[in-house]
Amino acid sequence: MVIVFVLTGVAALAVLGGLHWYAWRRLVRDTTAGPGVARRVGAVLFVAGPLSMFGAVASERAGAPFWLQRVLAWPGFLWMALAIYLVLALLAGEFVRPVARRVMERRTALPPAPAAGGEPEPPRSVRPRSGEESADSEAEGVDGPSGAGGQSGASSSVGSAGASRPPSSAGDPSRRLFVSRVVGGAAAAAAVGTVGYGTYGVLRGPRVKRVTVPLAKLPRSAHGFRIAVVSDIHLGPVLGRGFAQKVVDTINSTQPDLIAVVGDLVDGSVKDLGPAAAPLARLRARHGAYFVTGNHEYFSGAEQWVQEVRELGIHPLENARTEMAGFDLAGVNDVQGESEGQGPDFGKALGDRDTARACVLLAHQPVQIHEAVRYGVDLQLSGHTHGGQLWPGNFIAAAANPTVAGLERYGDTQLYVSRGAGAWGPPTRVGAPSDITVVELASGQA
């Protein structure tokens, strides 16, 4: 098992190294005429970038001093996102590069423009020269009035050759350099713009989505009950107290009946992130706020965070259930909790409930839907996927989760998956905007 782990790590490093070498070659080596300051600066950037990325991930996983995590997090995680889109843009540029070269070749091969009179200059007639004239001309080329070396004769000779045969751009280093700079510059601009806009989208805070979910068993007295669903806030070295306050303000502005925090609240210990999570104490809802663990809580000290959340006034549902007006609200631990003997227990949370009542289940990962179906849950609220976070990550997320984002039905059970409020790793989202969803329950009874 250890050998497999080591080989997998080596293979991953080799792939990452190869992709960085490819990006360096296209963006630095191919866009510079030769060794110099620009090439040295580019080499330093493409060494420091991946090193800071590995440092950011390793320091977080190893529980390094929090100040060090914060120092490494911004450059390291932003480089992670930038590297992804640099490589994607450069790969797209490989299709543009030959087209650009062909266009330049055609432009070079165009005939000269007509003379001022409007008619092209007729080709000059060449009169055959005798051997004597040829010798005299050659002598003038050597010692003639144009100077040593026959500069004038050489120039006219080159000019005649150039007029009859245009130079090839395929082998012209200056033209290859021009194409490389255009394609590389466009790729870099596209990558920086994409990451910049995606980072701005996260830092400004999540937007509110509204979804209506009809439940057949929900009584009319509970029709219109609104649950604010927030997941994957990911407070950590990058997203701190200010971000938590934005999340709280956004949730409170919706005036929900109930708040559901469905996991991955933090990436770090209570000691480091307790102050960042403090604004959550100001969450307000008529029927309170509830919390279930996500996989990242078990990387950060789940027991301590459950206690911290309780002290903030949020009710943890650890494989437990509570009765609301018109439906049951249940919650199960995340699958990652199995590593600590605290995994999900659907029997404990749902086994003895009245199945005539509607049931809403909080479960961090969408894969838990299959157990929810077995226990007759009407609606499961989840997160975990981030909607893919960084396109084309949505295709990877789709391969590992039954639903990546939005509302889907599995038999008699509906599953709603939020894209989440924050971000893990790069504080960046592309093609998967962050959200807080207000789920409005609709009665299916006449």
Side-chain angles (χ1 to χ4, degrees), residues 49-109:
L51 286 179
S52 65
M53 179 179 70
F54 289 123
V57 175
S59 65
E60 184 179 301
R61 289 294 187 215
F66 194 60
W67 66 265
L68 179 59
Q69 294 184 42
R70 297 185 68 178
V71 167
L72 294 173
W74 276 103
F77 286 129
L78 283 178
W79 179 264
M80 182 186 293
L82 185 62
I84 291 171
Y85 291 105
L86 280 175
V87 170
L88 290 175
L90 288 169
L91 289 174
E94 298 298 341
F95 297 95
V96 177
R97 192 180 300 272
V99 175
R101 286 178 177 171
R102 201 168 297 121
V103 169
M104 291 194 68
E105 287 175 6
R106 288 181 178 178
R107 286 175 63 89
T108 305

Side-chain angles (χ1 to χ4, degrees), residues 143-209:
D143 299 313
S146 298
Q151 187 174 350
S152 176
S155 299
S156 62
S157 175
V158 172
S160 299
S164 62
R165 180 171 52 86
S168 171
S169 65
D172 191 336
S174 65
R175 293 193 178 105
R176 289 201 307 271
L177 183 63
F178 177 77
V179 171
S180 294
R181 285 176 174 174
V182 170
V183 175
V192 170
T194 299
V195 172
Y197 184 76
T199 302
Y200 165 75
V202 171
L203 298 182
R204 91 187 155 191
R207 293 296 184 254
V208 175
K209 287 183 60 178

Side-chain angles (χ1 to χ4, degrees), residues 8 19 79 128 138 197 206 210 270 295 313 332 343 362 380 400 426 445:
T8 302
L19 291 175
W79 179 264
E138 290 174 4
Y197 184 76
R210 298 182 184 275
V270 171
N295 55 309
V332 292
L362 310 184
Q380 176 176 314
Q445 298 182 9

Side-chain angles (χ1 to χ4, degrees), residues 59-425:
S59 65
E60 184 179 301
R61 289 294 187 215
F66 194 60
W67 66 265
L68 179 59
Q69 294 184 42
R70 297 185 68 178
V71 167
L72 294 173
W74 276 103
F77 286 129
L78 283 178
W79 179 264
M80 182 186 293
L82 185 62
I84 291 171
Y85 291 105
L86 280 175
V87 170
L88 290 175
L90 288 169
L91 289 174
E94 298 298 341
F95 297 95
V96 177
R97 192 180 300 272
V99 175
R101 286 178 177 171
R102 201 168 297 121
V103 169
M104 291 194 68
E105 287 175 6
R106 288 181 178 178
R107 286 175 63 89
T108 305
L110 287 175
E119 295 294 333
E121 183 180 350
R124 296 179 179 177
S125 60
V126 179
R127 181 173 59 87
R129 297 183 297 174
S130 65
E132 184 179 350
E133 289 175 326
S134 298
D136 292 342
S137 298
E138 290 174 4
E140 288 179 4
V142 175
D143 299 313
S146 298
Q151 187 174 350
S152 176
S155 299
S156 62
S157 175
V158 172
S160 299
S164 62
R165 180 171 52 86
S168 171
S169 65
D172 191 336
S174 65
R175 293 193 178 105
R176 289 201 307 271
L177 183 63
F178 177 77
V179 171
S180 294
R181 285 176 174 174
V182 170
V183 175
V192 170
T194 299
V195 172
Y197 184 76
T199 302
Y200 165 75
V202 171
L203 298 182
R204 91 187 155 191
R207 293 296 184 254
V208 175
K209 287 183 60 178
R210 298 182 184 275
V211 176
T212 300
V213 180
L215 300 181
K217 299 176 186 176
L218 189 74
R220 291 203 54 84
S221 59
H223 180 81
F225 192 97
R226 290 172 299 116
I227 305 174
V229 182
V230 59
S231 72
D232 303 281
I233 299 175
H234 285 287
L235 299 178
V238 174
L239 302 177
R241 185 185 182 98
F243 185 77
Q245 187 62 58
K246 289 180 182 179
V247 170
V248 169
D249 292 342
T250 302
I251 292 173
N252 288 345
S253 70
T254 67
Q255 298 181 331
D257 296 306
L258 183 145
I259 299 168
V261 184
V262 287
D264 279 7
L265 173 63
V266 291
D267 286 304
S269 67
V270 171
K271 176 185 176 183
D272 292 334
L273 295 174
L280 297 174
R282 293 190 283 274
L283 286 171
R284 295 290 179 265
R286 191 155 56 101
H287 295 281
Y290 291 83
F291 168 80
V292 292
T293 55
N295 55 309
H296 281 247
E297 269 72 59
Y298 293 96
F299 306 143
S300 307
E303 290 185 11
Q304 291 85 354
W305 273 112
V306 167
Q307 181 59 34
E308 182 72 10
V309 161
R310 185 178 286 112
E311 292 178 3
L312 291 172
I314 304 173
H315 309 291
L317 288 173
E318 298 183 274
N319 298 322
R321 183 180 74 253
T322 184
E323 290 188 1
M324 309 299 293
F327 65 95
D328 293 336
L329 179 70
V332 292
N333 294 349
D334 185 71
V335 177
Q336 185 65 36
E338 294 175 352
S339 62
E340 301 180 12
Q342 300 174 12
D345 189 335
F346 284 82
K348 182 179 178 182
L350 301 167
D352 59 349
R353 75 179 190 89
D354 180 1
T355 56
R357 286 171 56 85
C359 179
V360 176
L361 174 69
L362 310 184
H364 178 64
Q365 297 196 39
V367 294
Q368 295 172 285
I369 184 63
H370 305 296
E371 285 295 303
V373 171
R374 286 186 57 229
Y375 280 89
V377 169
D378 297 277
L379 172 64
Q380 176 176 314
L381 301 175
S382 298
H384 182 63
T385 67
H386 298 204
Q389 187 169 327
L390 297 171
W391 183 93
N394 54 306
F395 297 109
I396 300 174
N401 296 276
T403 298
V404 174
L407 182 67
E408 290 190 4
R409 178 178 288 276
Y410 295 83
D412 294 329
T413 302
Q414 297 182 79
L415 168 65
Y416 180 79
V417 181
S418 168
R419 291 190 180 96
W424 179 84

Side-chain angles (χ1 to χ4, degrees), residues 20 23-25 27-29 31-32 34-50 79 86:
H20 276 86
W24 168 83
R25 176 184 173 184
L27 287 174
V28 180
R29 195 191 74 174
T31 60
T32 52
V37 175
R39 187 171 288 190
R40 286 195 294 270
V41 170
V44 169
L45 180 65
F46 274 89
V47 171
W79 179 264
L86 280 175

